[in-house]
Amino acid sequence: MPSMKLFHTIPGERPTIPLLEGIHSPYDLRLLNRDQLRQVADEVREYLLYSVGISGGHFGAGLGVVELTVALHFCLDTPFDQLVWDVGHQAYPHKILTGRREQLPTIRKEGGLAAFPDRKESPYDTFGVGHSSTSISAALGMALDAKINHSSRRHVAVIGDGALTAGIAFEALNHAASEKANMLVILNDNDMSISRNVGGIRDYLAKLLSSKTYTRGRDEARKLLEPLPPLAQFAKKTEEHLKGMMSPATLFEEIGFNYIGPIDGHDLSGLVTTLQNMRDLPGPQFLHVVTQKGCGFVPAEDDPIKYHAIGKLEVKSDASATPKPSYSNIFAQWICDMADNDSQLVGITPAMREGSDLIEFSKRFPDRYHDVAIAEQHAVCLGAGFATQSTKPVVAIYSTFLQRAYDQVIHDVCVQGLDVTFAIDRAGLVGEDGPTHAGVYDYAYLRTLPEIIIATPSSESECRLLLSTCYQHQGPAAVRYPRGQGPGELPDASLNTVEVGRSLTRREGQSGIVILGFGSRVFAALKAAEKLDATVIDMRWVKPLDEAVLRQYADAKLVITVEEHQRMGGAGSAVGEYFADQGLTVNLLSLGLPDRYEAHAKPEAMLARVGLDANGIEVAIEKRLS
């Protein structure tokens, strides 16, 4: 089979893809000669480069699994056989081969393909994903259903080495083995999650791959024993002993899986042979595949973190302009400044060093920086453990990922009243990643907990102020801020604090209309207030609420709450509960996200769609008044 084609630039024009043009489903792929698969893989890789250059999107992970994707759809009878991709960052080649090639440039755009596998989008997307480490559990459920219903369907879960660090993955492996389920787990080992993979699992896999003794001994033993069919049982036992002596791969076999590997994930011929040999083996099977993130595109091979995802090629920034800092950048500067000021501060992240912008902190304070890998529950409980001692932990985490550690927030932090500060990034609608990544539930699931305080900054300056305030507060505290840039109200270099539970009046109006703004919607409310001559209060806090200001405006003509959060259970609900508890009859209008999952689009388009931009706020108020 010919060698892989390498690319150094992203094609600006649609490439010539003669074989791929004829593949409208995996059925067409399976009609090809096995020797043609190398060309198919090269065409998939080139088309992926071209399409992501048009649309932007996840990049490196898909490049790394092109050969694996081609081999899986060639060897399996998909969609009858069911394939579950973990996370879904790597699913672009899968979409190309399953009838969505021409739609791929629409990925992440409003009305276009979803950024991740989506059951509503295609029968080949067997399970909707976005968060990591769910594939083995989902595939096991499917496999057990097949067992109950005497189905011949095969089930395969593809999981990365980064995702394998999460507890749910090992819980699923343990259960699959105990059920002796007929399923195949493929470990896509590229030594990468979004950030550099860390932890004992990563180290163990690295030792396995670097062990020349193991690989040489295993390969030589197989060569010697392959010509001896009558000694098949002896061969199996010999290989088991080799594994036991030379690698920690016995971990999976001791659990109850038949472990094969590691094999080269870019050797199409070897992949096809191995998958054909394994697909009908009974019981739980484990295939260890070694790939390179960004494979085939030289710049991505050299810098896989940079090329995890890219923007559109045509988007160019003005090199002479000074870019505004994002909220993540504000947090990054604050945590370094606070760490300089307080030697007891430690930073914790669940594999989101780059996303949460802890890069500088990790370099300047390596002994106080803790990346726990994709293990959100552990991150929160680790922070709780720190807080029982003399340290002051800051857990930097996305809103959507904090959902995975809710029990730890309750049981390990809040019940004990421990001094843990949560820096909650990506709050609100995050745009093209869609509903799996939206951070629109945190007000509701946090404000019900005793002990915790919840800050909601409206600008960059407020973000730094409220981070300092929550850090200095003795007890559980959360600061919730959105993705991207704010309105441009930049902070100074101080570590000043504000009073917990005290709001800020942004505008005094004369119309009797009072807008209570929470977080990112305050400046949109200010724009709407200009036309309405409304008062605008930057509430700053979801918990505790500024009860004095609520009492002050209880007899207003109209009180409006505005938040980038689900309306049910959110900040507006908290305001309504306060008025009801006080026996106050208030003309209250709560604006927030409707009771549905919002399809992906640009954040601005999503906010306009749900009526949370300035125009939508104005229209909603005028409608109520009329």
Side-chain angles (χ1 to χ4, degrees), residues 514-560:
V514 179
I515 305 176
L516 308 178
F518 293 86
S520 65
R521 296 299 84 211
V522 167
F523 280 78
L526 281 167
K527 289 182 182 178
E530 291 294 329
K531 294 185 178 181
L532 300 166
D533 192 21
T535 295
V536 178
I537 308 297
D538 185 340
M539 290 299 288
R540 279 182 168 164
W541 302 92
V542 173
K543 185 178 184 180
L545 292 168
D546 188 339
E547 296 181 358
V549 83
L550 295 183
R551 286 193 298 271
Q552 178 184 345
Y553 291 109
D555 60 352
K557 179 179 178 181
L558 177 63
V559 177
I560 307 100

Side-chain angles (χ1 to χ4, degrees), residues 326-346:
S326 68
Y327 280 99
S328 299
N329 299 151
I330 298 297
F331 166 73
Q333 186 62 57
W334 170 82
I335 195 171
C336 288
D337 293 346
M338 187 59 79
D340 277 331
N341 186 69
D342 184 354
S343 62
Q344 297 304 303
L345 184 151
V346 296

